[in-house]
Amino acid sequence: MRAALRFMDAAAYHRNIQELHQASDVNLSEFSKDPDKLASMVRNYDIKTLRALNGADGVAKAVNVSINEGVKSGELSIRQEKYGINKYTEKPSKGFLMFVWDALHDLTLVILIVCAIVSIGVGLATEGWPDGIYDGLGILLSILLVVSVTAVSDYKQSLQFRDLDKEKKKISCHVTRDSCRKKVSIYDLVVGDIVHLSIGDQVPADGIFISGYNLLIDESSLTGESDYVHIDENKPFLLAGTKVQDGSAKMLVTAVGMKTEWGRLMETLSEEGEDETPLQVKLNGVATIIGKIGLMFAVLTFVVLTVRFLVEKAMRNELSSWSSSDALSMLDYFATAVTIIVVAVPEGLPLAVTLSLAFAMKKLMNDKALVRHLSACETMGSSTCICTDKTGTLTTNHMVVDKIWVSGETKDVRDSDGLVLSSKLSESVSTVLLQGIFECTGSEVVKDKNGKTSILGTPTESAILQYGLDTGGDFDAIREGIKMLKMEPFNSAKKKMSVIVALPDGQIRAFCKGASEIVLGLCDKIIDGSGETVPLSKEKTEVITDVIEGFAKDALRTLCLAYMDVEGVFDCGNNIPESGYTLIAVVGIKDPLRPGVKKAVETCLNAGITVRMVTGDNINTAKAIAKECGILTEGGLAIEGPEFRTKTTDELNEIAPRIQVMARSSPTDKYELVKHLRGMSEVVAVTGDGTNDAPALHESDIGFAMGIAGTEVAKEQADVIVMDDDFATIVKVAKWGRAVYINIQKFVQFQLTVNIVALMINFVSACITGSAPLTAVQLLWVNLIMDTLGALALATEPPNDALMQRPPVKRTDSFITKTMWRNIIGQSVYQMAVLFVLNFAGKPILSLQGENATAILNTFIFNTFVFCQVFNEINSRDIDKINIFRGMFSSWIFLGVMISTVVFQVIIVEFLGTFASTVPLDWQLWLLSIVIGLVSMPIAAVLKCIPVENTAVKKQHDGYEILPDGPERV
């Protein structure tokens, strides 16, 4: 599609460019006046025209912006009017009437509509107006109610998913505006903005590379090519929607919104709906089987009723004479058979899954978890293991430098009140330390209009920069006199970043900052107590290693800073040196545990979910934090990434279940651990924030990206975005995932009971008496109760704490458990026994006499059947516990559905008898219907005391006992 668009552009674009090149030079005003020409130049990678315009400087001049100062805030509205806004035209979403139309496409409903219309036609011919229309009109009104409820439900879900989709697209970026670096929404970008790109960012608009270091772009979302593209002055074009894989850069925005390559593609594509979740697929299979059974019963019912009718006609010698009333009877039989299919086909199963997931997604949004894929929510309910990062997830990510080792001694940076202590360093040490802090960084210190200083960057770098400012360093003054020659940004594979600069006196100096043991390994010299540079002996290396381990045991994150003076001239084509550095300092950074993490970890362990910390930190730091939050238990194993890599498959099979901490891990280690655990039938959830976490997030069953610290690449691969970066939020997702699974089980138990009873009562009655006690309209009402309203009531139940005190559901576990079958069979036997007794011996039992005795009995059977379902719906709130009322009165949806069902039942029986084939009942019969329904509750309690599952207590490797399931936990 992209190729076709570019082919269509090509002829017109090159004709215009040739006309421009025929002039003595390219006229800047042509590009200033015509935004499309500027956008086309970038889309078509026209380097010749760009050079004729004098590169990025010329384009900046054409769009009237200074590369150093950026766009002025007062010009934003003018630029948006001239060049457009950075938003894409979205396809119009489906309106409510379209959902009504979709609901009407149900084949069984279409057949019933035809039956109703024929019934009205035959009725008018035989009984006249208005008596002849009641049966058919009753069916049509029931169908209208079913369609309306279904359409409203689907429409509300679509609105909810649209809101979630908007939330997914909230992306920020850094720009230079009014000479200051600011964080803005990508939707506020305008042509002329100077955008700062770093690893993991999504390129927010089309633009031109201004300056940067080692910029690698993933264009696969546009081109399908998996190879990364190196962007520099010779290949300077950047396209919206692509992602930064490595390096950093500044770019000048040349096209936004629908004028970008991505925008043009979006215009030609239609929105894709959510794929069906695994549970929906599984339940569709269940629904198909039940539907086939229902079809068989419907055909048998129709055949039995028809044969009985024909036999009775033959016995009366009326087989040769047919009246319109005979045709109406046959039509009623057919309508009853079709309605049995409507009742039998549990279309509410997939609806219940969608409703439950949509409800969970909405609630999780309030709990700071943005679910990107529906299936993640239900999968999380089965998770057996969470591989979590440390920084920002278990800890607050509000970092401060707590200790520093410099000039041969350890210094506390802050006193007991958190105030910064004065640091007495020699001038030469202080100078090189501040140069290292302010030069070897990818972050910036900026000031707002009021002169207030703030730091834009990662928490770790922000902590080090803040330390530099607290010790009296001037970021702008130091940066001003030093020229940056080359930068290698930090990434989790190298675990360090390096820069090489030219000092004011012409000296070339390299700085390196990163993981303590990595940087220490690059050093052969050290600054001693007197500020002199001395060789790094073996003894001094051991002393520094002890310092690093001491910091780590205090749960401090450690980094080393080092420098190296380079002789002669540095060629920017060469790599920054990898050895011969002089160690400046070891920095200990404090990152306290998040409140509530310890409790969240304990909840996971009680729920049979193993928590594993995977971090790039020193193993001592990792172990200290893991013990503090309860992850590292007595029998658990802490291992380093390099050691993990050396293990064979057999060794991994032995130790993987015991691994609770992996320190100094690379992204590859994380990926391999996840892959291995999944191979051992674990359901693995993984957290990630960096670009290099993408493979592990993709490989996992459920990927969690951090909303604050996470890069756009990580978020793109994740199933859930944790908006507050808090581990406790991940546990909430697991809790809701379990609630979704158990809610669907409750609904299936309820629906199968209704199915069995409705099918059997109509089929057996048809075989024995030649008539079905439940009419088409009545069955349609029951269908509405058990499908849409039942799904709404049971599938939207909020989770309770007991859900996190049972083991996770295995992939191989049957969805319909033995406990559920016990409840279904028990309730079905009770309901069928009562209804069969009423159907065959109801008149003498109830002392019903007179011409309308049959109508009263059938109405009473219908009323009793409905109240059995109402009380069974309450029974279904808990599959294996006797106390079914816990939380019921706080669930307004459940109460609303119950009250609505009862109110409508009263209206149908008392006031809509003409349509529903019912007659008003006296208060004694109403009371008896309710009592018969109510008896199902003590029966349910007795059933739940019958043990059916294996309740043996199992022990996990972490020492926690999995609590028993079933009656033992009542």
Side-chain angles (χ1 to χ4, degrees):
M1 195 169 283
R2 180 172 182 248
L5 284 169
R6 298 189 69 179
F7 180 77
M8 287 156 61
D9 275 349
Y13 173 75
H14 285 291
R15 187 167 60 248
N16 291 337
I17 292 302
Q18 283 169 9
E19 288 170 7
L20 284 170
H21 283 306
Q22 283 168 4
S24 56
D25 60 348
V26 176
N27 191 346
L28 285 176
S29 63
E30 291 286 339
F31 286 86
S32 181
K33 291 173 186 174
D34 189 351
D36 288 329
K37 281 185 180 174
L38 193 59
S40 297
M41 179 183 71
V42 175
R43 280 204 308 269
N44 291 283
Y45 300 107
D46 189 354
I47 190 72
K48 188 176 178 183
T49 303
L50 180 63
R51 284 175 179 160
L53 286 168
N54 193 26
D57 290 327
V59 175
K61 194 174 177 184
V63 297
N64 193 28
V65 72
S66 162
I67 285 176
N68 294 322
E69 295 176 9
V71 170
K72 292 180 173 61
S73 296
E75 299 175 354
L76 294 178
S77 57
I78 299 167
R79 288 179 180 273
Q80 284 179 339
E81 195 174 319
K82 182 176 180 180
Y83 297 105
I85 57 174
N86 198 30
K87 288 186 179 177
Y88 306 119
T89 303
E90 294 183 359
K91 297 282 180 185
S93 53
K94 281 167 68 173
F96 175 70
L97 291 177
M98 283 302 296
F99 285 101
V100 173
W101 181 246
D102 288 346
L104 282 167
H105 276 67
D106 188 299
L107 181 61
T108 50
L109 289 183
V110 172
I111 295 169
L112 279 177
I113 290 168
V114 172
C115 287
I117 293 168
V118 173
S119 175
I120 291 170
V122 175
L124 284 172
T126 56
E127 298 175 43
W129 175 270
D131 295 343
I133 68 166
Y134 290 140
D135 285 347
L137 191 60
I139 294 174
L140 286 177
L141 288 174
S142 301
I143 290 168
L144 181 64
L145 186 60
V146 171
V147 167
S148 299
V149 173
T150 305
V152 168
S153 173
D154 289 346
Y155 181 60
K156 285 188 75 175
Q157 283 175 50
S158 77
L159 291 178
Q160 194 173 314
F161 289 135
R162 206 186 312 164
D163 291 341
L164 288 169
D165 195 50
K166 283 178 186 172
E167 201 66 37
K168 287 180 201 174
K169 294 173 182 174
K170 284 184 180 176
I171 302 170
S172 298
C173 61
H174 286 177
V175 299
T176 297
R177 279 185 188 167
D178 302 318
S179 303
C180 293
R181 186 164 164 175
K182 299 177 180 178
K183 190 175 182 180
V184 300
S185 166
I186 61 166
Y187 298 126
D188 296 332
L189 281 185
V190 294
V191 170
D193 263 325
I194 311 300
V195 178
H196 299 258
L197 299 173
S198 55
I199 296 176
D201 285 349
Q202 179 175 302
V203 179
D206 286 0
I208 296 167
F209 174 88
I210 299 171
S211 62
Y213 308 97
N214 193 34
L215 186 65
L216 283 180
I217 296 291
D218 175 9
E219 291 190 349
S220 59
S221 56
L222 276 177
T223 63
E225 294 292 333
S226 56
D227 292 337
Y228 301 144
V229 179
H230 185 76
I231 301 292
D232 55 20
E233 289 83 357
N234 298 318
K235 198 171 185 182
F237 300 111
L238 291 149
L239 299 179
T242 57
K243 296 179 180 70
V244 181
Q245 284 296 321
D246 201 1
S248 60
K250 286 200 295 185
M251 88 167 203
L252 172 65
V253 175
T254 57
V256 292
M258 298 309 293
K259 287 188 170 61
T260 64
E261 183 81 343
W262 185 255
R264 286 156 54 81
L265 271 177
M266 292 289 282
E267 195 174 23
T268 61
L269 299 174
S270 59
E271 273 185 45
E272 289 182 15
E274 279 274 358
D275 290 335
E276 285 190 321
T277 72
L279 192 53
Q280 280 175 321
V281 172
K282 189 187 285 187
L283 289 178
N284 277 335
V286 173
T288 304
I289 293 166
I290 296 170
K292 286 176 180 176
I293 294 169
L295 179 64
M296 181 184 72
F297 272 96
V299 171
L300 284 172
T301 303
F302 180 69
V303 168
V304 168
L305 288 171
T306 306
V307 168
R308 279 188 66 101
F309 178 75
L310 293 173
V311 167
E312 285 173 4
K313 273 186 80 70
M315 289 173 70
R316 294 196 303 268
N317 297 316
E318 295 175 359
L319 204 57
S320 57
S321 61
W322 285 76
S323 65
S324 55
S325 62
D326 291 337
L328 202 58
S329 296
M330 292 292 290
L331 190 66
D332 281 343
Y333 297 157
F334 183 69
T336 302
V338 173
T339 312
I340 286 174
I341 297 173
V342 174
V343 174
V345 174
E347 66 268 23
L349 290 182
L351 171 68
V353 178
T354 311
L355 265 176
S356 191
L357 289 171
F359 185 74
M361 285 171 78
K362 187 178 180 181
K363 292 295 182 184
L364 282 169
M365 190 69 214
N366 298 333
D367 285 338
K368 304 294 183 187
L370 172 60
V371 180
R372 296 182 72 247
H373 302 129
L374 271 177
S375 57
C377 207
E378 69 184 46
T379 310
M380 192 60 197
S382 304
S383 62
T384 58
C385 154
I386 301 173
C387 295
T388 176
D389 291 332
K390 175 184 77 70
T391 306
T393 308
L394 298 171
T395 59
T396 60
N397 217 11
H398 294 148
M399 300 191 186
V400 290
V401 175
D402 192 62
K403 290 181 180 179
I404 187 166
W405 182 90
V406 63
S407 293
E409 60 178 311
T410 300
K411 300 174 186 288
D412 286 321
V413 173
R414 297 170 191 279
D415 62 17
S416 57
D417 297 323
L419 299 173
V420 179
L421 298 167
S422 60
S423 179
K424 295 176 182 177
L425 296 174
S426 66
E427 189 178 339
S428 60
V429 175
S430 180
T431 300
V432 75
L433 176 62
L434 289 174
Q435 283 177 350
I437 288 171
F438 292 144
E439 287 297 330
C440 193
T441 180
S443 301
E444 281 198 41
V445 178
V446 297
K447 290 183 180 178
D448 60 18
K449 292 176 182 177
N450 302 319
K452 187 182 176 183
T453 300
S454 59
I455 299 168
L456 296 175
T458 63
T460 306
E461 292 213 331
S462 297
I464 297 171
L465 284 176
Q466 189 61 56
Y467 170 73
L469 295 172
D470 290 341
T471 54
D474 187 328
F475 181 83
D476 292 329
I478 291 174
R479 294 280 287 248
E480 213 169 74
I482 298 175
K483 183 184 177 185
M484 178 78 70
L485 300 177
K486 188 172 184 179
M487 175 193 278
E488 289 179 1
F490 178 88
N491 70 43
S492 49
K494 300 175 190 170
K495 298 197 182 299
K496 68 178 180 69
M497 77 170 291
S498 306
V499 297
I500 194 155
V501 299
L503 300 178
D505 60 5
Q507 174 66 54
I508 306 297
R509 179 169 286 174
F511 290 99
C512 181
K513 175 182 74 182
S516 302
E517 65 274 22
I518 303 288
V519 176
L520 184 60
L522 306 180
C523 297
D524 57 13
K525 293 181 283 297
I526 187 175
I527 298 175
D528 67 7
S530 60
E532 297 296 320
T533 300
V534 296
L536 181 60
S537 63
K538 187 179 178 183
E539 292 76 17
K540 285 189 172 68
T541 302
E542 288 174 357
V543 169
I544 296 164
T545 303
D546 289 341
V547 168
I548 292 167
E549 287 181 2
F551 282 9
K553 282 173 182 173
D554 289 338
L556 299 180
R557 190 175 195 179
T558 61
L559 295 171
C560 282
L561 272 168
Y563 82 99
M564 172 187 182
D565 285 332
V566 179
E567 298 299 324
V569 179
F570 178 75
D571 181 359
C572 290
N574 296 335
N575 291 327
I576 297 174
E578 291 283 318
S579 60
Y581 282 86
T582 301
L583 185 68
I584 306 169
V586 179
V587 181
I589 298 171
K590 189 175 185 178
D591 185 12
L593 268 189
R594 282 183 180 273
V597 159
K598 197 168 182 179
K599 188 179 177 185
V601 169
E602 189 180 338
T603 301
C604 284
L605 296 176
N606 283 337
I609 303 171
T610 307
V611 183
R612 295 181 167 91
M613 180 200 288
V614 183
T615 177
D617 271 353
N618 178 297
I619 192 162
N620 292 314
T621 307
K623 283 165 76 174
I625 293 284
K627 281 178 182 172
E628 192 179 344
C629 60
I631 290 174
L632 188 58
T633 56
E634 198 174 318
L637 178 67
I639 192 171
E640 287 190 312
E643 185 186 347
F644 175 79
R645 275 168 242 156
T646 62
K647 300 291 182 185
T648 63
T649 304
D650 290 338
E651 287 173 327
L652 285 178
N653 286 337
E654 188 181 335
I655 67 166
R658 291 177 51 240
I659 293 175
Q660 291 175 347
V661 175
M662 188 189 285
R664 284 293 178 236
S665 67
S666 69
T668 309
D669 297 329
K670 192 174 186 177
Y671 171 79
E672 290 298 333
L673 176 64
V674 171
K675 190 177 175 183
H676 196 84
L677 288 169
R678 288 192 74 208
M680 296 173 73
S681 298
E682 296 253 22
V683 179
V684 185
V686 170
T687 72
D689 52 16
T691 303
N692 288 324
D693 287 324
L697 288 169
H698 183 72
E699 176 63 25
S700 68
D701 293 285
I702 318 100
F704 289 88
M706 300 299 110
I708 300 169
T711 62
E712 290 309 316
V713 174
K715 290 176 188 176
E716 197 70 28
Q717 288 295 332
D719 301 294
V720 181
I721 298 172
V722 183
M723 309 297 276
D724 58 358
D725 291 14
D726 192 346
F727 182 78
T729 304
I730 297 166
V731 179
K732 287 175 188 172
V733 178
K735 196 173 178 181
W736 271 102
R738 290 188 175 198
V740 166
Y741 193 87
I742 202 83
N743 284 348
I744 306 307
Q745 283 188 315
K746 293 175 193 175
F747 175 70
V748 167
Q749 176 182 297
F750 168 68
Q751 189 169 53
L752 287 181
T753 306
V754 186
N755 270 354
I756 290 168
V757 177
L759 287 176
M760 292 305 296
I761 194 76
N762 264 21
F763 175 69
V764 173
S765 295
C767 291
I768 296 172
T769 67
S771 64
L774 301 175
T775 67
V777 173
Q778 291 169 359
L779 283 174
L780 281 170
W781 169 234
V782 170
N783 181 64
L784 185 67
I785 293 173
M786 75 175 192
D787 270 355
T788 310
L789 294 179
L792 197 61
L794 293 170
T796 56
E797 286 271 285
N800 55 61
D801 293 337
L803 288 174
M804 298 303 280
Q805 292 173 351
R806 61 175 68 187
V809 178
K810 294 178 185 174
R811 293 179 197 266
T812 52
D813 284 357
S814 171
F815 182 76
I816 303 175
T817 62
K818 292 176 185 175
T819 308
M820 289 167 67
W821 279 121
R822 176 197 66 195
N823 298 339
I824 291 165
I825 293 166
Q827 287 292 338
S828 298
V829 167
Y830 166 69
Q831 289 184 27
M832 283 191 292
V834 169
L835 295 174
F836 280 138
V837 167
L838 288 173
N839 194 44
F840 300 119
K843 288 178 185 177
I845 291 172
L846 299 173
S847 303
L848 297 176
Q849 293 173 349
E851 60 182 20
N852 66 342
T854 303
I856 293 172
L857 180 62
N858 284 344
T859 303
F860 180 71
I861 290 171
F862 166 57
N863 206 39
T864 304
F865 178 63
V866 168
F867 274 100
C868 281
Q869 308 327 314
V870 169
F871 286 103
N872 194 36
E873 202 160 351
I874 299 171
N875 289 330
S876 299
R877 289 192 71 249
D878 205 303
I879 291 170
D880 55 11
K881 284 190 184 176
I882 292 172
N883 183 7
I884 50 177
F885 297 107
R886 184 181 57 184
M888 187 176 90
F889 297 104
S890 59
S891 177
W892 62 268
I893 295 178
F894 187 89
L895 290 175
V897 168
M898 291 292 99
I899 293 166
S900 302
T901 304
V902 173
V903 169
F904 272 108
Q905 180 64 15
V906 171
I907 293 169
I908 287 168
V909 171
E910 296 295 323
F911 306 107
L912 297 178
T914 313
F915 300 105
S917 305
T918 59
V919 292
L921 299 176
D922 58 34
W923 69 268
Q924 291 98 334
L925 290 178
W926 270 102
L927 186 62
L928 187 57
S929 291
I930 295 168
V931 168
I932 292 170
L934 189 62
V935 170
S936 70
M937 297 179 83
I939 287 173
V942 172
L943 287 170
K944 287 171 185 176
C945 293
I946 302 170
V948 287
E949 303 277 4
N950 179 18
T951 56
V953 176
K954 302 169 190 173
K955 276 212 172 188
Q956 297 186 149
H957 69 267
D958 53 26
Y960 279 86
E961 288 185 355
I962 295 176
L963 296 176
D965 201 8
E968 287 184 32
R969 214 174 68 253
V970 170

